[in-house]
Amino acid sequence: MRRLAIYPGSFDPPTLGHLDVIERAARLFDQLIVAIGVNSSKQPMLSVEERIEALEASTSHLKNVRIEQFSGLLVHYALEQDAKSIVRGLRATADFEYEFQMAMVNRRLSDKVDTLFLMTKWEHSYLSSSIVREVATLGGDYSGMVPPEVGRVIERALSARPQT
């Protein structure tokens, strides 16, 4: 029986913290799907295609990782993929309450899928996609916050935006 897990998120943009969790989860499972959730009510910095490109480039060294997009309930997507585990990254105690709540809702929706929490490395514990987005859109140096492949995608996306 193969051990398949889903690591969901918006990944707008993927950070070094995300990559840390991906690399560690890839060691724990036979296959890991990094699943980009599509939320039509949000205005992302990167398109889904750019996020897929960024994640594929920064995880190309991990042969058991694939990048996909999904919409709808995460637990339904996990069941469709025949995944038994959802991986969630935790940065600090502030993340725990929300993540715990989501894990319990998913558990209520299906007891066939468990949630596994991985703490990110301490040096990435301050990173979030929203912080990277703000630094990038305001012209700051985000290079130490994202993998180089992601930085190139962000740079290209920002240069294609109309100047305000």
Side-chain angles (χ1 to χ4, degrees):
M1 182 171 94
R2 76 183 171 135
R3 294 170 302 148
L4 170 64
I6 309 286
Y7 177 37
S10 62
F11 304 104
D12 184 37
T15 68
L16 288 172
H18 291 132
L19 185 59
D20 172 46
V21 171
I22 291 168
E23 288 175 338
R24 291 172 42 233
R27 290 194 306 260
L28 296 172
F29 295 95
D30 299 322
Q31 185 169 33
L32 178 68
I33 299 173
V34 178
I36 300 169
V38 177
N39 184 341
S40 59
S41 67
K42 287 188 177 181
Q43 280 292 77
M45 180 176 77
L46 300 177
S47 69
V48 172
E49 294 76 21
E50 288 169 325
R51 288 179 269 167
I52 289 171
E53 175 189 349
L55 283 163
E56 285 179 344
S58 57
T59 62
S60 64
H61 63 290
L62 302 169
K63 301 306 175 201
N64 64 331
V65 172
R66 74 178 194 252
I67 314 302
E68 294 187 359
Q69 70 177 18
F70 79 99
S71 60
L73 288 173
L74 171 60
V75 74
H76 291 168
Y77 175 75
L79 291 168
E80 287 169 9
Q81 300 300 315
D82 201 27
K84 304 291 186 251
S85 302
I86 295 170
V87 173
R88 297 297 295 166
L90 294 176
R91 293 172 298 206
T93 56
D95 286 344
F96 182 76
E97 187 175 338
Y98 172 79
E99 294 296 345
F100 178 79
Q101 184 180 23
M102 294 307 299
M104 292 299 99
V105 168
N106 286 335
R107 187 75 167 152
R108 173 111 171 118
L109 293 172
S110 175
D111 63 358
K112 293 178 173 60
V113 181
D114 287 309
T115 300
L116 172 73
F117 296 108
L118 291 177
M119 298 294 297
T120 190
K121 291 180 183 173
W122 69 268
E123 60 263 30
H124 304 309
S125 63
Y126 68 96
L127 285 177
S128 69
S129 291
S130 57
I131 287 173
V132 173
R133 277 195 311 274
E134 185 163 353
V135 170
T137 57
L138 296 175
D141 180 10
Y142 52 87
S143 61
M145 301 177 193
V146 299
E149 302 86 353
V150 175
R152 288 190 282 278
V153 173
I154 293 171
E155 187 177 317
R156 191 176 68 235
L158 291 176
S159 67
R161 283 185 170 182
Q163 300 298 318
T164 56

